[in-house]
Amino acid sequence: EIGDMPFDYGKLRWLAGAEDALTTLAGRGHTLCLLTSYDDTVFPDKADHLQVSRFFTPDRIRVLPGKKTAQDFTLVSGDTDPVVHPARCYAIGNGESDILPALTLGHHWHGVCIPHGSTSKYLEDKGAQDSPVPPPLNYFMPPVIEHPRVTTIRRISEVADLIG
């Protein structure tokens, strides 16, 4: 069965502009964290192939089997002191579960949404807009996030200019 075949990481690439944005942010002194919903047995190979260690230290990477929670953002960011906060923290992603849990941690958290198609059946079930991508890809677009501390951008290359 197809599910029993190993994933071919050789064709996997970063989203256009992602490496440059991460390099720029790290060069400006930002602490970069990676919080991802992925199979923790498969992710290490994917991370090695993409060389995520260029941008994220092991203590700032958290792999989850399901949806992200506020506690996950606290653990990966180290933002544990309820009184002392960094000037701003940003949750960046393409959907609500990538951003909204972080916003519950305080007004120092902000969201950056970069809409990107997904094959997630969760999105189909939650009323996401159909993408113009024809089958068999069946991509769905996450719904727009309406929140005063969330900014939507079109390309990941815009994130470094937004955050500064």
Side-chain angles (χ1 to χ4, degrees):
E1 296 293 324
I2 194 166
D4 296 325
M5 295 170 42
F7 188 82
D8 180 10
Y9 295 103
K11 296 178 183 176
L12 192 60
R13 301 284 181 262
W14 285 91
L15 192 61
E19 291 172 289
D20 289 341
L22 292 169
T23 299
T24 299
L25 291 170
R28 291 178 182 165
H30 292 282
T31 299
L32 305 178
C33 305
L34 176 61
L35 182 57
T36 183
S37 297
Y38 214 85
D39 181 323
D40 64 357
T41 60
V42 175
F43 183 77
D45 290 336
K46 179 181 176 181
D48 285 345
H49 173 75
L50 293 173
Q51 300 176 332
V52 300
S53 62
R54 293 177 292 156
F55 309 111
F56 308 99
T57 60
D59 63 318
R60 297 291 185 212
I61 298 173
R62 188 164 172 80
V63 182
L64 308 169
K67 291 177 72 170
K68 300 166 182 107
T69 67
Q71 181 181 13
D72 295 318
F73 282 92
T74 298
L75 292 171
V76 77
S77 69
D79 180 30
T80 57
D81 190 318
V83 177
V84 179
H85 299 293
R88 282 189 180 219
C89 295
Y90 292 89
I92 302 170
N94 72 327
E96 292 176 345
S97 69
D98 295 328
I99 298 169
L100 295 183
L103 301 185
T104 67
L105 296 171
H107 284 38
H108 63 293
W109 279 91
H110 299 266
V112 179
C113 183
I114 309 167
H116 189 278
S118 174
T119 56
S120 172
K121 293 301 273 183
Y122 171 78
L123 292 174
E124 180 183 39
D125 296 340
K126 297 297 179 185
Q129 303 164 6
D130 285 318
S131 168
V133 177
L137 295 178
N138 294 325
Y139 275 53
F140 302 97
M141 291 300 291
V144 174
I145 300 174
E146 299 288 342
H147 191 285
R149 285 185 281 130
V150 175
T151 301
T152 299
I153 59 178
R154 292 183 184 268
R155 289 175 289 286
I156 198 165
S157 59
E158 299 172 32
V159 77
D161 290 335
L162 177 69
I163 292 175

